[in-house]
Amino acid sequence: MEKLTAKEEEVLGFFWKQGPLYVREIVDMYDAPKPHFNTISTIVRALEEKGYVGHTQHGKSYRYHALIAEEDMGKKSISSIIGRYFKNSYLKVVSSFVEDGNIPVEDLRRLLDEVEKSHKSKTD
């Protein structure tokens, strides 16, 4: 799947929050000044071309829906960042968070305990 622009991510977020939507409904979710219908329609079609959104036809209109879950998108994004900036080393990622003080050592120990428990329950 291709990368998304900030506006594409914003529109995809509407589908995750609201479920299937018509373009008009997306436009209505914006505060004034609202974007033009054609602008949102173009963004939604781009999302569809990239494989993030699908549609069902209702008369002459299309009702669009997300094809990827928000959690899956998050995992995909994290994997991409780790690959690009940390050479696919999850150890480097965690080490950088610990070194920068973003993860207290106590939280890291608790995380390791949870991972070990999860792993044990899967192998039992």
Side-chain angles (χ1 to χ4, degrees):
M1 290 183 155
E2 293 180 48
K3 284 182 73 171
L4 299 180
T5 66
K7 280 293 181 192
E8 289 169 341
E9 284 187 25
E10 181 179 77
V11 170
L12 187 56
F14 290 130
F15 293 111
W16 290 330
K17 288 178 187 168
Q18 302 294 322
L21 297 164
Y22 294 97
V23 171
R24 172 62 51 211
E25 293 173 316
I26 298 169
V27 171
D28 290 342
M29 289 181 188
Y30 281 92
D31 293 330
K34 295 187 181 292
H36 194 276
F37 179 92
N38 290 344
T39 302
I40 299 303
S41 181
T42 298
I43 292 170
V44 171
R45 284 194 317 271
L47 285 167
E48 187 170 33
E49 287 175 20
K50 292 179 178 182
Y52 292 94
V53 168
H55 74 267
T56 54
Q57 190 165 353
H58 295 270
K60 294 182 180 181
S61 299
Y62 289 154
R63 190 170 188 209
Y64 295 92
H65 57 274
L67 293 176
I68 184 169
E70 186 173 15
E71 183 177 328
D72 293 337
M73 183 70 169
K75 289 177 184 177
K76 184 176 172 341
S77 297
I78 288 170
S79 293
S80 174
I81 290 168
I82 291 170
R84 189 173 331 135
Y85 298 108
F86 296 94
K87 297 182 169 85
N88 287 319
S89 172
Y90 287 79
L91 181 59
K92 287 181 182 179
V93 174
V94 174
S95 294
S96 73
F97 284 129
V98 171
E99 289 170 8
D100 292 345
N102 294 323
I103 297 180
V105 175
E106 303 80 37
D107 287 354
L108 190 56
R109 282 192 182 108
R110 196 169 47 229
L111 177 61
L112 287 171
D113 289 343
E114 289 176 18
V115 169
E116 286 175 353
K117 286 178 189 173
S118 175
H119 181 69
K120 279 184 182 179
S121 68
K122 290 179 182 176
T123 58
D124 291 342

